[in-house]
Amino acid sequence: MKKTATLTLLLFTLFTATAQKKQIDTLRLALSKAKTDTMRYEALYHLDNAYFISNPDSAILFAQQGYLLAEKNNWASGQEKCLNGMANAYSVLGDYVKAILFYFKALKIAGELNDLYLMSTVNDNIGAAYIPQQDYKKALPYLRLAQKQFNTFALSHKLLFKDKRHRAFIYLNTGECYLDMHQADSAEYYLNISYNDIKKLNLSDVIGVVQRDLGEVAAEKGNKAGALQFFRQAVINAKVIDDGEGVSVACLSTASLYHKYKQQDSAEYYAQKALETAAAGKFEQDVLNAGKVLYIFYDEDHNLPQAYKYFKITTAAKDSLYSQDKVKQLLSLDFDEKERQQELQVAQKEAQKEAENRLRTYVLSGGLGVLLLLAIIFLAK
C-alpha cells in the first residue's frame, strides 16, 4: 500500500512539474510570436506569474519588461500588476527594500484608479512582506485594510475564482501574522478559513504553506503528531510545485519541533536540509533563519567549530538583509507613503470643501435670481 502511494506521489510530482514546464514553454513561444504590444504584455505578465515561485529572478525580468510595455501604452492597470509582480519576487528573495518600494508604487496607481480589488491585493502583499521582518505592528493594519477593501468589493461583485483565491491569501497572511505573534487561537481561526477555501479551490501552489502554518499551531498547542503530519504534507506539496522556499520553511519547522522534544540528531538533519534548500534558491531570509537555528543547535552541543561556521553564515545573511542603510531606506519608504496618504486626504478634504463652496455660491446666486425675478414682476404690475 505504501509503495503504491509513493508511486502515485512520484507520478503526480512528475506530471505537475511537466505541466508547469509545458506552460512556460507555451508562454515563451507566445512571446516570441507576439505581433502586438497587447499580446507581448499578456505573455510577459503570465511568465512573471509562472516563474514567481520556482525562479524569482526570472519573474523580475519578465515583470520589468511587461511594465515598460504597459508604461509605453499608458496601461495603468498593467503597470500596477507588473509592479506588484516585481515586488512579490523581491519579497521572496528577501530584498524588502525593493519589495516595499514597488508595492507602494503599485498602491499609488491602484488608488488613482480607485480600484478596491487592486488596492486590497497590494495592501495584503505589503502586510505579508512585513511579517518575516517581525514588524507585526505594521503588518496587521495593512492586512486588516486589505480584508476591509475586499469585503467592500465583494458586496457589489460576483466573486470569480481569482477573487476567492485572493480572499484565501488574505486570511492566510493574517493567520501567519498572529502565528508569529504567538497568538495560536487567532492564528488557527484565520488559517482554518484559508485552508478550507484553498482545498475547495484546489490551490496546489499554496496548500503547503497553510499546512506548514497549521503544523506550527499544532506544535504550539503541544500536538507533536499533528504538527509532524502537517509539516510532512507541506514538504511534499512544496516539492510538487518546485517551491524551494516552502521546502526550506517546512524543514526548519520540523527541525524546531524535534529540538523541542530533545531529538537533536533529527533537529540538526532537518535544519541542514532547510539551509541547503534556502541557499540553493538564494532565499536570504530563510538562509538567515536556518543558519541561526543551526548555530543555536551546535552551540548547545558544545560543538564550537560548527557553531562558529553557522554563526558566520547567519551574520553574512543578516548583513545582507538588514544593513543599516537598508533599514534606513525601509523607514524612509514607510514615512514617504504615510506622507503621501496624508497629502491625499488633505487634497480630498480641500476638493470637498471647494465643491461645498461652489454649491453655496450656486444656491445663493439662484436665490438672488429668484428675488430679482419677483422684483421685476412686482414692478411690472
Side-chain angles (χ1 to χ4, degrees), residues 308-352:
Y308 181 64
K309 171 186 172 182
Y310 293 108
F311 175 76
K312 288 199 297 182
I313 288 172
T314 303
T315 302
K318 189 174 182 180
D319 287 344
S320 173
L321 281 167
Y322 302 111
S323 67
Q324 204 170 28
D325 287 344
K326 286 193 173 182
V327 171
K328 286 179 180 176
Q329 287 174 345
L330 273 172
L331 290 172
S332 176
L333 288 173
D334 185 59
F335 175 78
D336 289 345
E337 175 60 14
K338 285 178 180 175
E339 193 173 40
R340 187 185 75 80
Q341 292 286 355
Q342 288 174 351
E343 288 174 354
L344 184 62
Q345 288 175 5
V346 169
Q348 287 173 341
K349 286 179 181 177
E350 288 179 351
Q352 185 178 358

Side-chain angles (χ1 to χ4, degrees), residues 99-152:
I100 296 296
L101 172 65
F102 287 117
Y103 281 139
F104 282 158
K105 286 185 176 181
L107 188 59
K108 182 175 184 291
I109 294 175
E112 289 169 352
L113 291 171
N114 197 28
D115 190 318
L116 275 173
Y117 184 83
L118 292 181
M119 285 189 278
S120 173
T121 302
V122 182
N123 279 317
D124 177 45
N125 289 335
I126 294 172
Y130 278 120
I131 294 172
Q133 300 175 73
Q134 299 179 5
D135 197 342
Y136 311 122
K137 286 184 179 179
K138 284 182 183 172
L140 267 179
Y142 281 108
L143 295 171
R144 287 170 180 154
L145 179 58
Q147 190 175 335
K148 181 181 178 182
Q149 289 169 333
F150 179 84
N151 289 340
T152 304

Side-chain angles (χ1 to χ4, degrees), residues 16-276:
T16 305
T18 303
Q20 186 184 27
K21 185 178 183 303
K22 189 174 180 180
Q23 179 197 19
I24 288 172
D25 289 343
T26 301
L27 288 169
R28 282 184 171 276
L29 181 63
L31 180 61
S32 67
K33 291 187 174 183
K35 294 180 180 180
T36 66
D37 282 356
T38 301
M39 293 168 68
R40 274 189 287 273
Y41 169 80
E42 286 297 324
L44 289 166
Y45 172 67
H46 288 298
L47 278 166
D48 164 41
N49 288 330
Y51 275 113
F52 164 61
I53 292 175
S54 61
N55 194 335
D57 287 329
S58 295
I60 290 167
L61 292 175
F62 287 118
Q64 286 173 338
Q65 294 174 54
Y67 174 78
L68 291 174
L69 267 181
E71 187 180 42
K72 170 189 167 187
N73 290 280
N74 292 319
W75 299 331
S77 178
Q79 292 176 56
E80 185 278 335
K81 288 176 182 176
C82 288
L83 287 167
N84 192 50
M86 278 185 267
N88 285 337
Y90 277 120
S91 187
V92 169
L93 290 169
D95 192 338
Y96 299 116
V97 171
K98 286 182 181 174
I100 296 296
L101 172 65
F102 287 117
Y103 281 139
F104 282 158
K105 286 185 176 181
L107 188 59
K108 182 175 184 291
I109 294 175
E112 289 169 352
L113 291 171
N114 197 28
D115 190 318
L116 275 173
Y117 184 83
L118 292 181
M119 285 189 278
S120 173
T121 302
V122 182
N123 279 317
D124 177 45
N125 289 335
I126 294 172
Y130 278 120
I131 294 172
Q133 300 175 73
Q134 299 179 5
D135 197 342
Y136 311 122
K137 286 184 179 179
K138 284 182 183 172
L140 267 179
Y142 281 108
L143 295 171
R144 287 170 180 154
L145 179 58
Q147 190 175 335
K148 181 181 178 182
Q149 289 169 333
F150 179 84
N151 289 340
T152 304
F153 167 84
L155 290 174
S156 56
H157 291 77
K158 182 180 178 181
L159 296 185
L160 306 174
F161 173 84
K162 69 177 182 67
D163 307 324
K164 295 174 183 176
R165 174 188 168 91
H166 172 50
R167 181 175 58 194
F169 270 72
I170 296 174
Y171 282 111
L172 171 58
N173 290 329
T174 306
E176 281 194 347
C177 193
Y178 280 114
L179 176 64
D180 288 358
M181 294 166 70
H182 301 288
Q183 296 182 23
D185 288 336
S186 294
E188 189 172 31
Y189 171 78
Y190 286 103
L191 290 172
N192 277 328
I193 294 173
S194 179
Y195 194 33
N196 289 332
D197 283 348
I198 285 167
K199 286 187 290 186
K200 285 178 187 174
L201 298 169
N202 193 27
L203 301 180
S204 60
D205 60 330
V206 74
I207 194 165
V209 178
V210 73
Q211 286 168 338
R212 174 259 168 190
D213 290 340
L214 285 168
E216 288 284 2
V217 170
E220 191 144 323
K221 292 191 169 188
N223 183 358
K224 181 186 176 185
L228 277 175
Q229 186 178 358
F230 272 124
F231 292 153
R232 285 167 183 158
Q233 289 174 339
V235 170
I236 289 168
N237 283 308
K239 285 182 177 179
V240 163
I241 59 167
D242 195 23
D243 180 5
E245 188 184 28
V247 172
S248 176
V249 172
C251 282
L252 192 60
S253 292
T254 308
S256 297
L257 183 68
Y258 278 122
H259 179 256
K260 179 180 178 180
Y261 289 94
K262 312 296 182 186
Q263 295 176 256
Q264 197 72 349
D265 289 342
S266 295
E268 289 170 5
Y269 170 81
Y270 280 101
Q272 288 279 4
K273 284 286 183 186
L275 180 62
E276 290 167 11

